[in-house]
Amino acid sequence: MGVVAESLLLSWRDVFSLAGLLVLLTGAGVALLVARRPWLFWPLLLVVNTVGNGPPLGGYVVLDEILTGFIVAGAGLRIAVTGASRRRDVRVGAHRAVYLLLIGYLICQSAIGVIENDDLRLIRWVLFFGTLAVAGTIVYRRSDDFPFPPLRQAALILVWSSVVYYVAYLTQGVIGAALLGPYGRFLTQDYIWSGSAYAVLPTLIATPAAVYLIGDRSRGVRFLAWLALGLMMLVAFYYDSRLSWVFLFVLLGISWRRVRLYRLAMAGVMGGLAFVAFRFAIDGRLPFGQRPMATVSTVSFAEENRSDAGRLLHLQAAAEAALADARTLVVGTGFYSHRFVLVPYVKELLRYRLPPQDFVIPGTRDDTAPEVSIIRTQGAAALLID
């Protein structure tokens, strides 16, 4: 992963810059749109939280959070203006109680993270989870005012959004590889697009939506569903995303009755074609790749795969840190505190398990350097600590 300079990160003055004011004006427009047309509440949420996962603003992937906040604000404005309307007197279910407990825990951990990191910018997570708490209450109490669209319409929104999103994701990777060399698709992460683990989260909701539309009566809709699945597979290969394959295999596996065996076989063929396209790109037969198999951390079924060396080392460091302190294991130490907690554990493990230097992507940081005081890791390791 590339290193983002402090000067490139979002700061408070960016909020009042031209770009910041443009984002705020766009958000205000979205809020007014929801207030005037409440039926757009759910469609806008689905689109924003699909396409907003990729492009960062000043080094932070906050576009989805900002626009979600404005959508919820628009719903609140609608309620404030129209007053009390049809309110469902529904008994609080166990699922809602669990949801509120989870949101409360996440807000507390976010607040602790602000204190532990001495960074007010992390208050974004307090605001975001607070927004989700308000959104949950609005949906629960005022679902008649903000109806969820029919399943087919919701699935179409998700599939179309995911197709646009993944085409853009692949395009920026191809351009990055053309400009920066075979590692370009990884080096653009944090600058142009979010990291591959975060960027593929739309697969979690786009896959069920595509499965739902596979048997649609419209040939165009069926084609769109298969296109979405094919793009998600291609992204999984191109960006070496294990999380994508977990989502795809699990979701397709539990949907086998709806998908049917011949469709699963077709999905397997599509996955094979995506892999062939990926290997052609790596072998240099397409204009955006060379053969970096001996130097870049990537998937190879023909050679020994050491691409997980760094990931597994960080995961082991996180496990050791969690087991060393019961509070860390059970409660956590606050959002983003893993950046400091993991440092001694990672450095100690690197003394014994340092991977060969020919597997370190040029442009990335050497975590063994004495001046390194912050460790950036993957979500699984951070989850154990935070």
Side-chain angles (χ1 to χ4, degrees):
M1 181 179 293
V3 180
V4 181
E6 187 70 23
S7 60
L8 297 177
L9 296 178
L10 194 65
S11 63
W12 289 110
R13 66 176 178 272
D14 292 323
V15 177
F16 304 101
S17 66
L18 180 60
L21 291 176
L22 181 61
V23 171
L24 292 177
L25 288 174
T26 302
V30 169
L32 290 175
L33 187 62
V34 172
R36 291 177 59 86
R37 295 177 173 81
W39 55 270
L40 288 175
F41 177 81
W42 278 108
L44 286 175
L45 277 180
L46 295 176
V47 172
V48 162
N49 287 280
T50 300
V51 301
N53 268 38
L57 297 176
Y60 293 92
V61 186
V62 293
L63 186 60
D64 55 338
E65 300 169 25
I66 293 172
L67 293 181
T68 295
F70 276 110
I71 292 171
V72 174
L77 179 61
R78 171 77 180 189
I79 293 172
V81 170
T82 59
S85 61
R86 299 183 299 273
R87 295 179 63 90
R88 297 191 308 162
D89 186 16
V90 181
R91 181 172 57 88
V92 176
H95 64 282
R96 183 167 184 263
V98 171
Y99 175 78
L100 292 177
L101 284 174
L102 175 62
I103 291 295
Y105 167 74
L106 293 174
I107 291 175
C108 289
Q109 290 300 96
S110 302
I112 294 172
V114 174
I115 298 172
E116 290 290 332
N117 290 271
D118 192 23
D119 189 351
L120 280 176
R121 289 174 296 187
L122 295 180
I123 202 171
R124 58 180 269 228
W125 293 110
V126 179
L127 298 175
F128 179 64
F129 292 125
T131 300
L132 292 184
V134 174
T137 301
I138 290 174
V139 169
Y140 186 76
R141 292 296 183 184
R142 304 294 290 264
S143 62
D144 293 334
D145 294 342
F146 307 98
F148 192 82
L151 288 181
R152 184 175 185 271
Q153 181 182 345
L156 279 170
I157 292 171
L158 286 170
V159 169
W160 266 116
S161 300
S162 64
V163 167
V164 172
Y165 174 81
Y166 282 126
V167 167
Y169 186 27
L170 287 167
T171 300
Q172 69 85 30
V174 170
I175 294 174
L179 296 177
L180 304 175
Y183 319 110
R185 67 186 186 278
F186 300 112
L187 295 179
T188 57
Q189 295 177 7
D190 294 328
Y191 296 98
I192 307 299
W193 214 267
S194 57
S196 59
Y198 192 87
V200 301
L201 287 179
T203 299
L204 186 60
I205 57 174
T207 302
V211 168
Y212 181 82
L213 295 175
I214 281 178
D216 193 85
R217 61 184 180 276
S218 169
R219 181 178 300 177
V221 171
R222 293 197 301 271
F223 172 79
L224 181 67
W226 283 112
L227 176 62
L229 287 174
L231 283 172
M232 287 184 278
M233 292 178 184
L234 186 57
V235 164
F237 278 121
Y238 192 59
Y239 289 101
D240 190 8
S241 175
R242 277 74 164 168
L243 193 59
S244 286
W245 289 119
V246 171
F247 289 160
L248 287 166
F249 282 131
V250 171
L251 294 173
L252 288 175
I254 63 178
S255 306
W256 68 272
R257 289 183 181 276
R258 183 175 184 84
V259 178
R260 298 179 183 176
L261 291 179
Y262 78 91
R263 289 172 178 162
L264 282 177
M266 187 180 298
V269 171
M270 290 177 60
L273 292 175
F275 175 67
V276 169
F278 169 76
R279 288 305 299 267
F280 274 142
I282 291 299
D283 289 338
R285 301 186 188 182
L286 295 179
F288 50 83
Q290 299 176 11
R291 184 175 179 81
M293 286 308 222
T295 56
V296 66
S297 171
T298 188
V299 173
S300 172
F301 293 99
E303 304 174 23
E304 180 185 0
N305 178 24
R306 287 181 282 179
S307 63
D308 287 325
R311 296 171 181 171
L312 294 177
L313 186 142
H314 282 200
L315 191 60
Q316 181 179 344
E320 291 184 2
L323 293 174
D325 181 39
R327 173 179 170 270
T328 302
L329 179 63
V330 177
V331 180
T333 56
F335 270 37
Y336 280 83
S337 61
H338 67 270
R339 298 185 297 176
F340 309 107
V341 174
L342 286 179
V343 172
Y345 295 94
V346 169
K347 287 191 174 184
E348 181 65 21
L349 288 173
L350 282 174
R351 291 175 54 193
Y352 304 102
R353 295 179 53 186
L354 183 67
Q357 288 301 307
D358 62 350
F359 276 80
V360 177
I361 299 177
T364 58
R365 186 180 65 179
D366 180 8
D367 287 334
T368 60
E371 67 272 12
V372 171
S373 59
I374 291 178
I375 294 293
R376 303 182 66 189
T377 187
Q378 74 270 20
L383 182 64
L384 289 173
I385 304 300
D386 296 348

